[in-house]
Amino acid sequence: MHRKPTPQVTARSAAQGRARDSDIDTRILAAAKRQLAVLGYEGMSIAAVAAEAGTTRQALYRRWPGKAALAEAAVASVEEAPAEAPPEAPAIADPFAALVAELTDFQRKVSRPGRLSLVGTMLQESTDLQVRERYQARVIHPRRQRLTAILEAAQHLGLVDEDADLAVAVTMCTGSWYGRALAGEPVPADWPMRTAALVWRAVGGQTA
């Protein structure tokens, strides 16, 4: 005798027959990053992210349990941290050239649409602590580690003062860009070279 499919079997077959939208995670994270940058953490909403990504809140909740988890995932998707660990100081043969290259990379990435606004979002008191910590771990700390390694290499090679305050020097490297941006001043094309030269001299180095 032919048996009628049970509701459970019918539902499972239907689910298996639906093609999974492999692009949906990318769309959701892109929408979340944009809203974080434009509206801040407090202004971002699950409903608005779902609508912008062309999906439903239910689909979003199946992937992330809430707003904080979604924001954390969006921040984690920022393409900033390299796959490898920062180089050991002795492995950097030309620290000044490495400093210019690092600042060039910083300028390129921080100039992307929405990136500076995302920095502002991380400074807001309303931003979830775990979201801020993920941003620091993904974006801020790796950059500072690489800059520190470069300046330590310069010390190792005797190119800068042995007692130079590297902690302040590292902050000067990126802080000057944020200062100009907040003041509404255009950042010159040769900002990486000029900033590297200024920091280099500040720690006792000599430039040509």
Side-chain angles (χ1 to χ4, degrees), residues 28-45 49 52 67 70-71 74-75 78 110 112-124 127 131 135:
I28 291 174
L29 292 175
K33 279 190 289 187
R34 194 197 70 79
Q35 290 199 22
L36 277 173
V38 175
L39 305 175
Y41 179 78
E42 192 170 1
M44 186 188 95
S45 74
V49 169
E52 183 176 334
K67 176 177 172 178
L70 173 60
V75 166
V78 174
V110 80
R112 290 174 178 172
R115 188 61 65 86
L116 185 60
S117 298
L118 190 58
V119 173
T121 295
M122 294 304 120
L123 294 174
Q124 295 175 357
T127 299
V131 174
Y135 182 82

PDB file of all heavy atoms in Angstrom, residues 28-45 49 52 67 70-71 74-75 78 110 112-124 127 131 135:
ATOM      1  N   ILE A  28      24.741  40.450   4.172  1.00  0.00           N
ATOM      2  CA  ILE A  28      24.372  40.854   5.531  1.00  0.00           C
ATOM      3  C   ILE A  28      25.532  41.581   6.210  1.00  0.00           C
ATOM      4  O   ILE A  28      25.350  42.647   6.815  1.00  0.00           O
ATOM      5  CB  ILE A  28      23.944  39.633   6.363  1.00  0.00           C
ATOM      6  CG1 ILE A  28      22.603  39.074   5.860  1.00  0.00           C
ATOM      7  CG2 ILE A  28      23.818  40.009   7.842  1.00  0.00           C
ATOM      8  CD1 ILE A  28      22.191  37.778   6.533  1.00  0.00           C
ATOM      9  N   LEU A  29      26.735  41.033   6.107  1.00  0.00           N
ATOM     10  CA  LEU A  29      27.893  41.649   6.750  1.00  0.00           C
ATOM     11  C   LEU A  29      28.220  43.001   6.123  1.00  0.00           C
ATOM     12  O   LEU A  29      28.603  43.941   6.827  1.00  0.00           O
ATOM     13  CB  LEU A  29      29.095  40.716   6.680  1.00  0.00           C
ATOM     14  CG  LEU A  29      28.984  39.436   7.514  1.00  0.00           C
ATOM     15  CD1 LEU A  29      30.185  38.531   7.275  1.00  0.00           C
ATOM     16  CD2 LEU A  29      28.838  39.751   8.992  1.00  0.00           C
ATOM     17  N   ALA A  30      28.063  43.108   4.814  1.00  0.00           N
ATOM     18  CA  ALA A  30      28.309  44.388   4.149  1.00  0.00           C
ATOM     19  C   ALA A  30      27.306  45.434   4.616  1.00  0.00           C
ATOM     20  O   ALA A  30      27.667  46.597   4.874  1.00  0.00           O
ATOM     21  CB  ALA A  30      28.233  44.211   2.632  1.00  0.00           C
ATOM     22  N   ALA A  31      26.050  45.038   4.733  1.00  0.00           N
ATOM     23  CA  ALA A  31      25.021  45.967   5.209  1.00  0.00           C
ATOM     24  C   ALA A  31      25.274  46.372   6.659  1.00  0.00           C
ATOM     25  O   ALA A  31      25.129  47.536   7.033  1.00  0.00           O
ATOM     26  CB  ALA A  31      23.633  45.330   5.076  1.00  0.00           C
ATOM     27  N   ALA A  32      25.680  45.408   7.474  1.00  0.00           N
ATOM     28  CA  ALA A  32      25.965  45.707   8.881  1.00  0.00           C
ATOM     29  C   ALA A  32      27.144  46.667   9.006  1.00  0.00           C
ATOM     30  O   ALA A  32      27.107  47.605   9.813  1.00  0.00           O
ATOM     31  CB  ALA A  32      26.244  44.416   9.645  1.00  0.00           C
ATOM     32  N   LYS A  33      28.194  46.449   8.222  1.00  0.00           N
ATOM     33  CA  LYS A  33      29.350  47.345   8.271  1.00  0.00           C
ATOM     34  C   LYS A  33      28.959  48.754   7.830  1.00  0.00           C
ATOM     35  O   LYS A  33      29.402  49.739   8.438  1.00  0.00           O
ATOM     36  CB  LYS A  33      30.476  46.811   7.375  1.00  0.00           C
ATOM     37  CG  LYS A  33      31.288  45.716   8.029  1.00  0.00           C
ATOM     38  CD  LYS A  33      32.527  45.371   7.230  1.00  0.00           C
ATOM     39  CE  LYS A  33      32.176  44.651   5.945  1.00  0.00           C
ATOM     40  NZ  LYS A  33      33.394  44.154   5.237  1.00  0.00           N
ATOM     41  N   ARG A  34      28.150  48.854   6.799  1.00  0.00           N
ATOM     42  CA  ARG A  34      27.738  50.174   6.328  1.00  0.00           C
ATOM     43  C   ARG A  34      26.914  50.891   7.378  1.00  0.00           C
ATOM     44  O   ARG A  34      27.119  52.080   7.648  1.00  0.00           O
ATOM     45  CB  ARG A  34      26.938  50.049   5.025  1.00  0.00           C
ATOM     46  CG  ARG A  34      26.755  51.375   4.294  1.00  0.00           C
ATOM     47  CD  ARG A  34      25.658  51.314   3.266  1.00  0.00           C
ATOM     48  NE  ARG A  34      24.341  51.225   3.893  1.00  0.00           N
ATOM     49  CZ  ARG A  34      23.699  52.272   4.413  1.00  0.00           C
ATOM     50  NH1 ARG A  34      24.237  53.467   4.385  1.00  0.00           N
ATOM     51  NH2 ARG A  34      22.508  52.117   4.949  1.00  0.00           N
ATOM     52  N   GLN A  35      25.991  50.172   8.010  1.00  0.00           N
ATOM     53  CA  GLN A  35      25.156  50.814   9.027  1.00  0.00           C
ATOM     54  C   GLN A  35      25.954  51.174  10.275  1.00  0.00           C
ATOM     55  O   GLN A  35      25.704  52.203  10.899  1.00  0.00           O
ATOM     56  CB  GLN A  35      23.971  49.908   9.376  1.00  0.00           C
ATOM     57  CG  GLN A  35      22.962  49.799   8.250  1.00  0.00           C
ATOM     58  CD  GLN A  35      21.608  49.312   8.715  1.00  0.00           C
ATOM     59  OE1 GLN A  35      21.251  49.408   9.878  1.00  0.00           O
ATOM     60  NE2 GLN A  35      20.834  48.771   7.782  1.00  0.00           N
ATOM     61  N   LEU A  36      26.923  50.348  10.642  1.00  0.00           N
ATOM     62  CA  LEU A  36      27.790  50.695  11.759  1.00  0.00           C
ATOM     63  C   LEU A  36      28.541  51.990  11.470  1.00  0.00           C
ATOM     64  O   LEU A  36      28.677  52.858  12.347  1.00  0.00           O
ATOM     65  CB  LEU A  36      28.787  49.573  12.029  1.00  0.00           C
ATOM     66  CG  LEU A  36      28.318  48.393  12.872  1.00  0.00           C
ATOM     67  CD1 LEU A  36      29.393  47.314  12.888  1.00  0.00           C
ATOM     68  CD2 LEU A  36      27.990  48.825  14.300  1.00  0.00           C
ATOM     69  N   ALA A  37      29.025  52.125  10.245  1.00  0.00           N
ATOM     70  CA  ALA A  37      29.796  53.302   9.876  1.00  0.00           C
ATOM     71  C   ALA A  37      28.932  54.550   9.788  1.00  0.00           C
ATOM     72  O   ALA A  37      29.330  55.631  10.236  1.00  0.00           O
ATOM     73  CB  ALA A  37      30.511  53.061   8.543  1.00  0.00           C
ATOM     74  N   VAL A  38      27.732  54.419   9.238  1.00  0.00           N
ATOM     75  CA  VAL A  38      26.869  55.579   9.000  1.00  0.00           C
ATOM     76  C   VAL A  38      26.022  55.931  10.212  1.00  0.00           C
ATOM     77  O   VAL A  38      25.885  57.108  10.583  1.00  0.00           O
ATOM     78  CB  VAL A  38      25.964  55.318   7.778  1.00  0.00           C
ATOM     79  CG1 VAL A  38      24.982  56.467   7.583  1.00  0.00           C
ATOM     80  CG2 VAL A  38      26.808  55.135   6.529  1.00  0.00           C
ATOM     81  N   LEU A  39      25.452  54.913  10.864  1.00  0.00           N
ATOM     82  CA  LEU A  39      24.497  55.145  11.943  1.00  0.00           C
ATOM     83  C   LEU A  39      25.071  54.910  13.333  1.00  0.00           C
ATOM     84  O   LEU A  39      24.462  55.312  14.324  1.00  0.00           O
ATOM     85  CB  LEU A  39      23.270  54.237  11.757  1.00  0.00           C
ATOM     86  CG  LEU A  39      22.552  54.350  10.403  1.00  0.00           C
ATOM     87  CD1 LEU A  39      21.447  53.316  10.316  1.00  0.00           C
ATOM     88  CD2 LEU A  39      22.003  55.760  10.204  1.00  0.00           C
ATOM     89  N   GLY A  40      26.227  54.226  13.399  1.00  0.00           N
ATOM     90  CA  GLY A  40      26.775  53.868  14.699  1.00  0.00           C
ATOM     91  C   GLY A  40      26.118  52.597  15.219  1.00  0.00           C
ATOM     92  O   GLY A  40      25.126  52.107  14.656  1.00  0.00           O
ATOM     93  N   TYR A  41      26.667  52.073  16.301  1.00  0.00           N
ATOM     94  CA  TYR A  41      26.145  50.826  16.847  1.00  0.00           C
ATOM     95  C   TYR A  41      24.707  50.986  17.316  1.00  0.00           C
ATOM     96  O   TYR A  41      23.861  50.124  17.082  1.00  0.00           O
ATOM     97  CB  TYR A  41      27.021  50.359  18.008  1.00  0.00           C
ATOM     98  CG  TYR A  41      26.539  49.083  18.653  1.00  0.00           C
ATOM     99  CD1 TYR A  41      26.775  47.851  18.044  1.00  0.00           C
ATOM    100  CD2 TYR A  41      25.840  49.099  19.856  1.00  0.00           C
ATOM    101  CE1 TYR A  41      26.327  46.674  18.619  1.00  0.00           C
ATOM    102  CE2 TYR A  41      25.389  47.919  20.441  1.00  0.00           C
ATOM    103  CZ  TYR A  41      25.631  46.718  19.820  1.00  0.00           C
ATOM    104  OH  TYR A  41      25.179  45.554  20.393  1.00  0.00           O
ATOM    105  N   GLU A  42      24.420  52.095  17.974  1.00  0.00           N
ATOM    106  CA  GLU A  42      23.074  52.306  18.507  1.00  0.00           C
ATOM    107  C   GLU A  42      22.044  52.424  17.397  1.00  0.00           C
ATOM    108  O   GLU A  42      20.911  51.966  17.517  1.00  0.00           O
ATOM    109  CB  GLU A  42      23.052  53.566  19.384  1.00  0.00           C
ATOM    110  CG  GLU A  42      21.794  53.726  20.213  1.00  0.00           C
ATOM    111  CD  GLU A  42      21.921  54.846  21.226  1.00  0.00           C
ATOM    112  OE1 GLU A  42      22.980  55.503  21.276  1.00  0.00           O
ATOM    113  OE2 GLU A  42      20.956  55.058  21.985  1.00  0.00           O
ATOM    114  N   GLY A  43      22.434  53.043  16.276  1.00  0.00           N
ATOM    115  CA  GLY A  43      21.496  53.247  15.179  1.00  0.00           C
ATOM    116  C   GLY A  43      21.303  52.027  14.296  1.00  0.00           C
ATOM    117  O   GLY A  43      20.307  51.926  13.577  1.00  0.00           O
ATOM    118  N   MET A  44      22.242  51.098  14.334  1.00  0.00           N
ATOM    119  CA  MET A  44      22.106  49.886  13.529  1.00  0.00           C
ATOM    120  C   MET A  44      20.986  49.005  14.080  1.00  0.00           C
ATOM    121  O   MET A  44      20.841  48.886  15.287  1.00  0.00           O
ATOM    122  CB  MET A  44      23.420  49.097  13.553  1.00  0.00           C
ATOM    123  CG  MET A  44      23.447  47.891  12.644  1.00  0.00           C
ATOM    124  SD  MET A  44      24.950  46.875  12.890  1.00  0.00           S
ATOM    125  CE  MET A  44      24.359  45.656  14.054  1.00  0.00           C
ATOM    126  N   SER A  45      20.197  48.423  13.190  1.00  0.00           N
ATOM    127  CA  SER A  45      19.120  47.540  13.648  1.00  0.00           C
ATOM    128  C   SER A  45      19.083  46.269  12.809  1.00  0.00           C
ATOM    129  O   SER A  45      19.457  46.276  11.629  1.00  0.00           O
ATOM    130  CB  SER A  45      17.757  48.243  13.562  1.00  0.00           C
ATOM    131  OG  SER A  45      17.325  48.350  12.217  1.00  0.00           O
ATOM    132  N   VAL A  49      19.191  46.019   8.664  1.00  0.00           N
ATOM    133  CA  VAL A  49      20.262  45.255   8.018  1.00  0.00           C
ATOM    134  C   VAL A  49      19.659  44.179   7.125  1.00  0.00           C
ATOM    135  O   VAL A  49      20.080  43.983   5.983  1.00  0.00           O
ATOM    136  CB  VAL A  49      21.199  44.624   9.067  1.00  0.00           C
ATOM    137  CG1 VAL A  49      22.142  43.612   8.416  1.00  0.00           C
ATOM    138  CG2 VAL A  49      22.014  45.699   9.773  1.00  0.00           C
ATOM    139  N   GLU A  52      18.187  45.795   3.984  1.00  0.00           N
ATOM    140  CA  GLU A  52      19.232  46.241   3.056  1.00  0.00           C
ATOM    141  C   GLU A  52      19.901  45.064   2.365  1.00  0.00           C
ATOM    142  O   GLU A  52      20.287  45.154   1.192  1.00  0.00           O
ATOM    143  CB  GLU A  52      20.275  47.070   3.805  1.00  0.00           C
ATOM    144  CG  GLU A  52      21.368  47.630   2.903  1.00  0.00           C
ATOM    145  CD  GLU A  52      22.337  48.536   3.649  1.00  0.00           C
ATOM    146  OE1 GLU A  52      21.944  49.123   4.671  1.00  0.00           O
ATOM    147  OE2 GLU A  52      23.497  48.645   3.208  1.00  0.00           O
ATOM    148  N   LYS A  67      22.060  41.520  17.775  1.00  0.00           N
ATOM    149  CA  LYS A  67      22.734  42.682  17.208  1.00  0.00           C
ATOM    150  C   LYS A  67      24.226  42.705  17.544  1.00  0.00           C
ATOM    151  O   LYS A  67      25.064  42.974  16.676  1.00  0.00           O
ATOM    152  CB  LYS A  67      22.048  43.948  17.730  1.00  0.00           C
ATOM    153  CG  LYS A  67      22.680  45.251  17.307  1.00  0.00           C
ATOM    154  CD  LYS A  67      21.845  46.409  17.830  1.00  0.00           C
ATOM    155  CE  LYS A  67      22.536  47.739  17.608  1.00  0.00           C
ATOM    156  NZ  LYS A  67      21.706  48.867  18.064  1.00  0.00           N
ATOM    157  N   LEU A  70      26.105  40.137  15.507  1.00  0.00           N
ATOM    158  CA  LEU A  70      26.182  40.551  14.103  1.00  0.00           C
ATOM    159  C   LEU A  70      27.230  41.642  13.926  1.00  0.00           C
ATOM    160  O   LEU A  70      28.050  41.601  12.996  1.00  0.00           O
ATOM    161  CB  LEU A  70      24.821  41.048  13.618  1.00  0.00           C
ATOM    162  CG  LEU A  70      24.795  41.667  12.221  1.00  0.00           C
ATOM    163  CD1 LEU A  70      25.262  40.659  11.173  1.00  0.00           C
ATOM    164  CD2 LEU A  70      23.399  42.197  11.889  1.00  0.00           C
ATOM    165  N   ALA A  71      27.207  42.642  14.811  1.00  0.00           N
ATOM    166  CA  ALA A  71      28.187  43.728  14.723  1.00  0.00           C
ATOM    167  C   ALA A  71      29.606  43.204  14.892  1.00  0.00           C
ATOM    168  O   ALA A  71      30.530  43.627  14.195  1.00  0.00           O
ATOM    169  CB  ALA A  71      27.879  44.790  15.778  1.00  0.00           C
ATOM    170  N   ALA A  74      30.609  41.569  11.715  1.00  0.00           N
ATOM    171  CA  ALA A  74      30.871  42.565  10.680  1.00  0.00           C
ATOM    172  C   ALA A  74      32.251  43.170  10.856  1.00  0.00           C
ATOM    173  O   ALA A  74      33.007  43.342   9.895  1.00  0.00           O
ATOM    174  CB  ALA A  74      29.796  43.655  10.726  1.00  0.00           C
ATOM    175  N   VAL A  75      32.606  43.480  12.098  1.00  0.00           N
ATOM    176  CA  VAL A  75      33.925  44.041  12.381  1.00  0.00           C
ATOM    177  C   VAL A  75      35.014  43.014  12.074  1.00  0.00           C
ATOM    178  O   VAL A  75      36.072  43.346  11.535  1.00  0.00           O
ATOM    179  CB  VAL A  75      34.003  44.508  13.846  1.00  0.00           C
ATOM    180  CG1 VAL A  75      35.440  44.779  14.262  1.00  0.00           C
ATOM    181  CG2 VAL A  75      33.142  45.753  14.041  1.00  0.00           C
ATOM    182  N   VAL A  78      36.349  42.834   8.521  1.00  0.00           N
ATOM    183  CA  VAL A  78      37.157  43.920   7.971  1.00  0.00           C
ATOM    184  C   VAL A  78      38.504  43.366   7.529  1.00  0.00           C
ATOM    185  O   VAL A  78      39.194  42.695   8.300  1.00  0.00           O
ATOM    186  CB  VAL A  78      37.362  45.039   9.011  1.00  0.00           C
ATOM    187  CG1 VAL A  78      38.329  46.094   8.481  1.00  0.00           C
ATOM    188  CG2 VAL A  78      36.029  45.683   9.369  1.00  0.00           C
ATOM    189  N   VAL A 110      42.455  53.011   5.411  1.00  0.00           N
ATOM    190  CA  VAL A 110      41.617  53.919   6.185  1.00  0.00           C
ATOM    191  C   VAL A 110      40.848  54.880   5.281  1.00  0.00           C
ATOM    192  O   VAL A 110      39.874  55.501   5.696  1.00  0.00           O
ATOM    193  CB  VAL A 110      42.471  54.701   7.212  1.00  0.00           C
ATOM    194  CG1 VAL A 110      43.194  55.861   6.568  1.00  0.00           C
ATOM    195  CG2 VAL A 110      41.615  55.167   8.385  1.00  0.00           C
ATOM    196  N   ARG A 112      39.242  53.926   2.581  1.00  0.00           N
ATOM    197  CA  ARG A 112      38.117  53.244   1.952  1.00  0.00           C
ATOM    198  C   ARG A 112      36.794  53.818   2.465  1.00  0.00           C
ATOM    199  O   ARG A 112      36.710  54.293   3.597  1.00  0.00           O
ATOM    200  CB  ARG A 112      38.171  51.746   2.254  1.00  0.00           C
ATOM    201  CG  ARG A 112      39.311  51.029   1.548  1.00  0.00           C
ATOM    202  CD  ARG A 112      39.413  49.587   2.003  1.00  0.00           C
ATOM    203  NE  ARG A 112      40.457  48.861   1.306  1.00  0.00           N
ATOM    204  CZ  ARG A 112      40.858  47.647   1.611  1.00  0.00           C
ATOM    205  NH1 ARG A 112      40.293  46.994   2.616  1.00  0.00           N
ATOM    206  NH2 ARG A 112      41.822  47.065   0.926  1.00  0.00           N
ATOM    207  N   PRO A 113      35.744  53.790   1.641  1.00  0.00           N
ATOM    208  CA  PRO A 113      34.456  54.343   2.053  1.00  0.00           C
ATOM    209  C   PRO A 113      33.964  53.744   3.381  1.00  0.00           C
ATOM    210  O   PRO A 113      33.953  52.532   3.553  1.00  0.00           O
ATOM    211  CB  PRO A 113      33.516  53.964   0.895  1.00  0.00           C
ATOM    212  CG  PRO A 113      34.433  53.844  -0.291  1.00  0.00           C
ATOM    213  CD  PRO A 113      35.713  53.280   0.253  1.00  0.00           C
ATOM    214  N   GLY A 114      33.599  54.608   4.307  1.00  0.00           N
ATOM    215  CA  GLY A 114      33.036  54.174   5.578  1.00  0.00           C
ATOM    216  C   GLY A 114      34.042  53.796   6.643  1.00  0.00           C
ATOM    217  O   GLY A 114      33.670  53.625   7.808  1.00  0.00           O
ATOM    218  N   ARG A 115      35.340  53.696   6.292  1.00  0.00           N
ATOM    219  CA  ARG A 115      36.311  53.210   7.279  1.00  0.00           C
ATOM    220  C   ARG A 115      36.534  54.215   8.405  1.00  0.00           C
ATOM    221  O   ARG A 115      36.609  53.847   9.573  1.00  0.00           O
ATOM    222  CB  ARG A 115      37.625  52.870   6.591  1.00  0.00           C
ATOM    223  CG  ARG A 115      38.641  52.189   7.485  1.00  0.00           C
ATOM    224  CD  ARG A 115      38.125  50.868   8.028  1.00  0.00           C
ATOM    225  NE  ARG A 115      37.912  49.894   7.007  1.00  0.00           N
ATOM    226  CZ  ARG A 115      38.856  49.076   6.535  1.00  0.00           C
ATOM    227  NH1 ARG A 115      40.080  49.132   7.015  1.00  0.00           N
ATOM    228  NH2 ARG A 115      38.563  48.192   5.605  1.00  0.00           N
ATOM    229  N   LEU A 116      36.653  55.506   8.064  1.00  0.00           N
ATOM    230  CA  LEU A 116      36.862  56.503   9.107  1.00  0.00           C
ATOM    231  C   LEU A 116      35.633  56.610   9.998  1.00  0.00           C
ATOM    232  O   LEU A 116      35.744  56.774  11.219  1.00  0.00           O
ATOM    233  CB  LEU A 116      37.195  57.866   8.495  1.00  0.00           C
ATOM    234  CG  LEU A 116      37.560  58.971   9.492  1.00  0.00           C
ATOM    235  CD1 LEU A 116      38.788  58.574  10.295  1.00  0.00           C
ATOM    236  CD2 LEU A 116      37.818  60.289   8.764  1.00  0.00           C
ATOM    237  N   SER A 117      34.443  56.503   9.400  1.00  0.00           N
ATOM    238  CA  SER A 117      33.214  56.547  10.198  1.00  0.00           C
ATOM    239  C   SER A 117      33.145  55.366  11.148  1.00  0.00           C
ATOM    240  O   SER A 117      32.628  55.475  12.264  1.00  0.00           O
ATOM    241  CB  SER A 117      31.989  56.549   9.272  1.00  0.00           C
ATOM    242  OG  SER A 117      31.986  57.688   8.443  1.00  0.00           O
ATOM    243  N   LEU A 118      33.674  54.216  10.714  1.00  0.00           N
ATOM    244  CA  LEU A 118      33.692  53.036  11.571  1.00  0.00           C
ATOM    245  C   LEU A 118      34.588  53.270  12.782  1.00  0.00           C
ATOM    246  O   LEU A 118      34.275  52.824  13.889  1.00  0.00           O
ATOM    247  CB  LEU A 118      34.171  51.821  10.785  1.00  0.00           C
ATOM    248  CG  LEU A 118      34.033  50.454  11.456  1.00  0.00           C
ATOM    249  CD1 LEU A 118      32.583  50.176  11.815  1.00  0.00           C
ATOM    250  CD2 LEU A 118      34.568  49.359  10.549  1.00  0.00           C
ATOM    251  N   VAL A 119      35.677  54.006  12.587  1.00  0.00           N
ATOM    252  CA  VAL A 119      36.542  54.371  13.714  1.00  0.00           C
ATOM    253  C   VAL A 119      35.746  55.190  14.723  1.00  0.00           C
ATOM    254  O   VAL A 119      35.824  54.960  15.932  1.00  0.00           O
ATOM    255  CB  VAL A 119      37.768  55.166  13.216  1.00  0.00           C
ATOM    256  CG1 VAL A 119      38.589  55.688  14.397  1.00  0.00           C
ATOM    257  CG2 VAL A 119      38.644  54.305  12.320  1.00  0.00           C
ATOM    258  N   GLY A 120      34.962  56.160  14.217  1.00  0.00           N
ATOM    259  CA  GLY A 120      34.127  56.970  15.101  1.00  0.00           C
ATOM    260  C   GLY A 120      33.120  56.137  15.874  1.00  0.00           C
ATOM    261  O   GLY A 120      32.873  56.379  17.062  1.00  0.00           O
ATOM    262  N   THR A 121      32.558  55.132  15.221  1.00  0.00           N
ATOM    263  CA  THR A 121      31.603  54.245  15.895  1.00  0.00           C
ATOM    264  C   THR A 121      32.263  53.515  17.054  1.00  0.00           C
ATOM    265  O   THR A 121      31.664  53.358  18.129  1.00  0.00           O
ATOM    266  CB  THR A 121      31.039  53.215  14.896  1.00  0.00           C
ATOM    267  OG1 THR A 121      30.269  53.907  13.906  1.00  0.00           O
ATOM    268  CG2 THR A 121      30.159  52.183  15.593  1.00  0.00           C
ATOM    269  N   MET A 122      33.505  53.097  16.874  1.00  0.00           N
ATOM    270  CA  MET A 122      34.197  52.372  17.935  1.00  0.00           C
ATOM    271  C   MET A 122      34.493  53.268  19.145  1.00  0.00           C
ATOM    272  O   MET A 122      34.716  52.770  20.247  1.00  0.00           O
ATOM    273  CB  MET A 122      35.506  51.786  17.409  1.00  0.00           C
ATOM    274  CG  MET A 122      35.312  50.702  16.364  1.00  0.00           C
ATOM    275  SD  MET A 122      34.262  49.333  16.936  1.00  0.00           S
ATOM    276  CE  MET A 122      32.918  49.429  15.731  1.00  0.00           C
ATOM    277  N   LEU A 123      34.482  54.583  18.950  1.00  0.00           N
ATOM    278  CA  LEU A 123      34.747  55.509  20.045  1.00  0.00           C
ATOM    279  C   LEU A 123      33.483  55.895  20.809  1.00  0.00           C
ATOM    280  O   LEU A 123      33.571  56.530  21.868  1.00  0.00           O
ATOM    281  CB  LEU A 123      35.417  56.783  19.500  1.00  0.00           C
ATOM    282  CG  LEU A 123      36.824  56.600  18.914  1.00  0.00           C
ATOM    283  CD1 LEU A 123      37.306  57.897  18.291  1.00  0.00           C
ATOM    284  CD2 LEU A 123      37.792  56.129  19.979  1.00  0.00           C
ATOM    285  N   GLN A 124      32.326  55.527  20.292  1.00  0.00           N
ATOM    286  CA  GLN A 124      31.069  55.867  20.956  1.00  0.00           C
ATOM    287  C   GLN A 124      30.862  55.010  22.205  1.00  0.00           C
ATOM    288  O   GLN A 124      31.122  53.804  22.191  1.00  0.00           O
ATOM    289  CB  GLN A 124      29.898  55.678  19.998  1.00  0.00           C
ATOM    290  CG  GLN A 124      29.905  56.625  18.816  1.00  0.00           C
ATOM    291  CD  GLN A 124      28.805  56.329  17.818  1.00  0.00           C
ATOM    292  OE1 GLN A 124      28.046  55.371  17.964  1.00  0.00           O
ATOM    293  NE2 GLN A 124      28.707  57.151  16.794  1.00  0.00           N
ATOM    294  N   THR A 127      28.651  51.805  21.945  1.00  0.00           N
ATOM    295  CA  THR A 127      29.098  50.619  21.204  1.00  0.00           C
ATOM    296  C   THR A 127      29.386  49.471  22.163  1.00  0.00           C
ATOM    297  O   THR A 127      30.063  49.649  23.178  1.00  0.00           O
ATOM    298  CB  THR A 127      30.355  50.939  20.382  1.00  0.00           C
ATOM    299  OG1 THR A 127      30.043  51.974  19.439  1.00  0.00           O
ATOM    300  CG2 THR A 127      30.854  49.709  19.622  1.00  0.00           C
ATOM    301  N   VAL A 131      32.224  44.278  20.699  1.00  0.00           N
ATOM    302  CA  VAL A 131      32.394  44.753  19.327  1.00  0.00           C
ATOM    303  C   VAL A 131      33.645  45.627  19.244  1.00  0.00           C
ATOM    304  O   VAL A 131      34.456  45.489  18.327  1.00  0.00           O
ATOM    305  CB  VAL A 131      31.155  45.545  18.871  1.00  0.00           C
ATOM    306  CG1 VAL A 131      31.379  46.163  17.490  1.00  0.00           C
ATOM    307  CG2 VAL A 131      29.925  44.636  18.840  1.00  0.00           C
ATOM    308  N   TYR A 135      37.184  44.912  17.162  1.00  0.00           N
ATOM    309  CA  TYR A 135      37.770  45.881  16.236  1.00  0.00           C
ATOM    310  C   TYR A 135      39.229  46.144  16.611  1.00  0.00           C
ATOM    311  O   TYR A 135      40.107  46.192  15.743  1.00  0.00           O
ATOM    312  CB  TYR A 135      36.974  47.183  16.266  1.00  0.00           C
ATOM    313  CG  TYR A 135      37.476  48.230  15.299  1.00  0.00           C
ATOM    314  CD1 TYR A 135      37.107  48.198  13.960  1.00  0.00           C
ATOM    315  CD2 TYR A 135      38.333  49.244  15.735  1.00  0.00           C
ATOM    316  CE1 TYR A 135      37.580  49.150  13.072  1.00  0.00           C
ATOM    317  CE2 TYR A 135      38.810  50.199  14.843  1.00  0.00           C
ATOM    318  CZ  TYR A 135      38.431  50.144  13.520  1.00  0.00           C
ATOM    319  OH  TYR A 135      38.905  51.087  12.647  1.00  0.00           O
TER     320      TYR A 135
END
